[in-house]
Amino acid sequence: MTAALKNTSYDEDALVAAVTSVLPGSRPLPLHEPEFIGREKEYLADCIDTGWVSSVGSYVDRFETLVAEKSGTRFGVACVSGTAALHIALVAAGVSRDDEVLVQALTFVASANAVYHAGALPHFVDSEYATLGLDPDALDAYLGEIAELRDGAAWNRLTGRRISAVVPMHVFGHPVRMERLAEVAERWHIIVVEDAAESLGSSRNGRPMGSFGKLAAVSFNGNKTITTGGGGAVVTDDEALAKHLKHLTTTAKLPHRWAFDHDEVAYNYRLPNLNAALGCAQFEMLDRFLAEKRALAEAYERALTGIPGVEFFREPDGCRGNYWLNAVLVPDRAARDSLLERLNGEGIHARPCWTPMHELPFNRDCPRGPLGVTEALVDRIVNLPSSAKLGRRV
């Protein structure tokens, strides 16, 4: 992908016509909506009929197994939300109060919020054009300027705080260059915690996203590829970590037939069996949804090819993205805002990328590196309707 589109012959009319040609005629058309065409009602009825509707039950166990398998890890721990999953992953990884955690500025606010919940401070770093996600090369150069190794840990020489973790987020399901990031993190003794909220079903060089970091957080919010209504999970290969995560997310209650004893400060982040049942049925449809979303992405790309000043964002080389959200890039902010106004005016729910984290008022005093790529990308990105069912008609 190029840094900017300089073509002055940008054709908004052609772009709108191309997008409309891919989509059905019904309006309004949501950005991304869930679909329940499998065994969801059956599994939910089973929870109600058996009385297992709360935070324990067979569907929770099955759901944890399924999310681990799809993420290429040995263990999964269900959580009440993706944000809760990322928070507890950071806690379990050893992030401590007043640490700094490296987070790309081009991400959803949950990535930064989870760092705050862990008592740490987000430290914002840049993305790259090829993936939209965290740029490992830029991070390596930046750490060389501001960090030092001391007592087996990375320390920010400018703030005096430990840099304990890095949180790469796979934007719209497109994988970050995780092998390169792992090299950088290992050299600086920084733990990698993947924010795989958007990337279930994506892979890099055949390896599923969620399997590269020490831990990873996955989201099953209502707008994700599959949903539990609201929910998340932490995945890991570390058995001891998985057991501790389960303990922390279930109030750290010690097993006993009747006594309520707890051995550490913990959280009630349990996913109800009802939500897990929904998720199990959705997992049975995941491969179909992924195929339909890929068909939709290919249809968008065909329709947009050759339109001046327009670029459809394709999965990075060596990757298989889930195309959670399809993204088109236009020349500048004015073109972006005009396109958003026009599409939404026609009942097509398009959206811009998130406000960059460093521009949110509560983040403005956080440490950050150069963010030129982030700011350029935000000016250009428009997300198009991406529901799986839209891929059935193309």
Side-chain angles (χ1 to χ4, degrees), residues 19 51 59 76 82 104 154 166 210-211 214-215 284 309 314 325 371 386:
V19 170
Y59 289 106
Q104 66 207 51
V166 58
S211 67
K214 188 176 184 68
L215 311 100
E284 293 171 2
R314 286 190 48 80
L325 289 183
L371 298 173
S386 299

Side-chain angles (χ1 to χ4, degrees), residues 116-186:
Y116 284 121
H117 297 333
L121 191 68
H123 184 151
F124 299 116
V125 294
D126 213 359
S127 289
E128 62 179 342
Y129 289 108
T131 68
L132 305 180
L134 191 150
D135 185 339
D137 296 330
L139 177 63
D140 193 18
Y142 178 59
L143 287 173
E145 295 173 3
I146 62 100
E148 64 182 2
L149 285 174
R150 191 169 74 242
D151 301 325
W155 292 83
N156 186 334
R157 290 186 288 101
L158 306 180
T159 65
R161 289 186 289 259
R162 183 175 74 130
I163 303 173
S164 56
V166 58
V167 179
M169 198 278 275
H170 309 298
V171 176
F172 312 143
H174 296 298
V176 169
R177 287 191 292 132
M178 292 302 298
E179 299 91 344
R180 173 65 173 133
L181 180 60
E183 293 173 2
V184 175
E186 183 177 11

Side-chain angles (χ1 to χ4, degrees), residues 93-117:
V95 172
S96 300
R97 182 164 297 280
D98 297 327
D99 282 355
E100 292 179 7
V101 175
L102 299 163
V103 178
Q104 66 207 51
L106 187 70
T107 187
F108 181 56
V109 70
S111 302
N113 282 346
V115 175
Y116 284 121
H117 297 333

Side-chain angles (χ1 to χ4, degrees), residues 313-343:
F313 189 82
R314 286 190 48 80
E315 62 201 353
D317 291 342
C319 298
R320 189 168 182 84
N322 65 6
Y323 286 101
W324 172 58
L325 289 183
N326 290 287
V328 62
L329 293 104
V330 294
D332 52 36
R333 182 176 288 255
R336 182 201 72 176
D337 292 348
S338 177
L339 179 62
L340 288 167
E341 184 70 32
R342 187 162 171 185
L343 290 176

Side-chain angles (χ1 to χ4, degrees), residues 18 37 50 55 68 104 162 210 244 257 303-304 312 317 321 336 352 382 388 392:
I37 54 176
T50 60
S55 54
Q104 66 207 51
R162 183 175 74 130
H244 191 216
R257 286 184 296 165
L304 295 169
F312 179 76
D317 291 342
R336 182 201 72 176
V382 173
R392 283 177 216 151

Side-chain angles (χ1 to χ4, degrees), residues 210-370:
S211 67
F212 286 86
K214 188 176 184 68
L215 311 100
V218 187
S219 174
F220 296 92
N221 191 33
N223 65 348
K224 294 302 188 290
T225 303
I226 62 173
T227 183
T228 56
V234 184
V235 294
T236 182
D237 279 329
D238 189 315
E239 184 174 8
L241 264 181
K243 289 179 177 178
H244 191 216
L245 284 161
K246 192 70 173 178
H247 192 57
L248 285 173
T249 56
T250 55
T251 72
K253 183 181 181 297
L254 298 174
H256 195 278
R257 286 184 296 165
W258 62 78
F260 284 86
D261 291 320
H262 309 258
D263 62 355
E264 60 182 311
V265 175
Y267 310 87
N268 184 3
Y269 280 174
R270 296 173 288 193
L271 183 72
N273 201 45
L274 278 168
N275 297 81
L278 190 67
C280 289
Q282 288 271 287
F283 260 111
E284 293 171 2
M285 304 302 297
L286 177 59
D287 288 344
R288 172 177 170 173
F289 289 163
L290 290 171
E292 290 170 346
K293 289 173 74 62
R294 176 164 289 273
L296 176 63
E298 292 171 350
Y300 274 135
E301 185 176 18
R302 287 193 302 270
L304 295 169
T305 297
I307 297 176
V310 175
E311 187 174 355
F312 179 76
F313 189 82
R314 286 190 48 80
E315 62 201 353
D317 291 342
C319 298
R320 189 168 182 84
N322 65 6
Y323 286 101
W324 172 58
L325 289 183
N326 290 287
V328 62
L329 293 104
V330 294
D332 52 36
R333 182 176 288 255
R336 182 201 72 176
D337 292 348
S338 177
L339 179 62
L340 288 167
E341 184 70 32
R342 187 162 171 185
L343 290 176
N344 281 278
E346 296 183 13
I348 298 171
H349 184 195
R351 72 166 204 191
C353 198
W354 315 279
T355 298
M357 292 301 98
H358 65 291
E359 293 183 7
L360 297 175
F362 50 87
N363 288 332
R364 285 176 181 161
D365 293 331
C366 293
R368 63 177 186 260

Side-chain angles (χ1 to χ4, degrees), residues 374-385:
T374 295
E375 291 166 350
L377 284 170
V378 167
D379 283 349
R380 298 180 55 202
I381 292 173
V382 173
N383 289 126
L384 303 174

